[in-house]
Amino acid sequence: MRVYCRECGNKGRITNTNRLSRDYTELYCQCNDAECGHTWVGGFGYRHTLSPSAKTASQMAFQLVKSLAPEMQRDLLKELEGAR
Ligand SMILES: [Zn+2]
C-alpha cells in the first residue's frame, strides 16, 4: 500500500498500525524525504462488499439449517438430494 506525504508529495512509509476495530486500522506514516520529516496518522477501512465470502455464505446456511426442526432438516435434505 502506497502512502504519500500531504506536505511535500513524496512517498511515505507506514511505520506502525493500530487496528481499532474489525473494519478500521490507523496507519502511522512517515515521509521518506529526510528533509521533510513529516509524520502523520492515516486510516484504512472497510467500505462495502463486492462479492460475499463463501465462508460467510456456507456458515449462514449452516446456522439457518441448524435452527430448523429436525423434520424440516430431513425434508430439506431430501429436496436437495432430489435437486442434484
Ligand atoms: Zn514530506
Side-chain angles (χ1 to χ4, degrees), residues 12-65:
R13 63 192 165 98
I14 298 164
T15 57
N16 209 348
T17 61
N18 183 22
R19 192 171 186 211
L20 293 180
S21 72
R22 187 168 75 141
D23 292 337
Y24 189 75
T25 302
E26 281 182 339
L27 308 172
Y28 288 79
C29 306
Q30 185 173 47
C31 181
N32 283 342
D33 185 339
E35 287 180 25
C36 173
H38 182 219
T39 59
W40 70 95
V41 180
F44 181 79
Y46 166 84
R47 279 234 176 118
H48 56 86
T49 298
L50 294 175
S51 175
S53 163
K55 286 184 179 179
T56 306
S58 62
Q59 210 168 34
M60 277 170 59
F62 180 73
Q63 293 300 329
L64 208 62
V65 171

Side-chain angles (χ1 to χ4, degrees), residues 61-81:
F62 180 73
Q63 293 300 329
L64 208 62
V65 171
K66 232 174 75 173
S67 72
L68 295 172
E71 196 180 304
M72 289 180 80
Q73 288 182 11
R74 277 193 294 272
D75 289 349
L76 185 65
L77 270 174
K78 271 185 211 160
E79 260 185 69
L80 287 172
E81 280 169 10

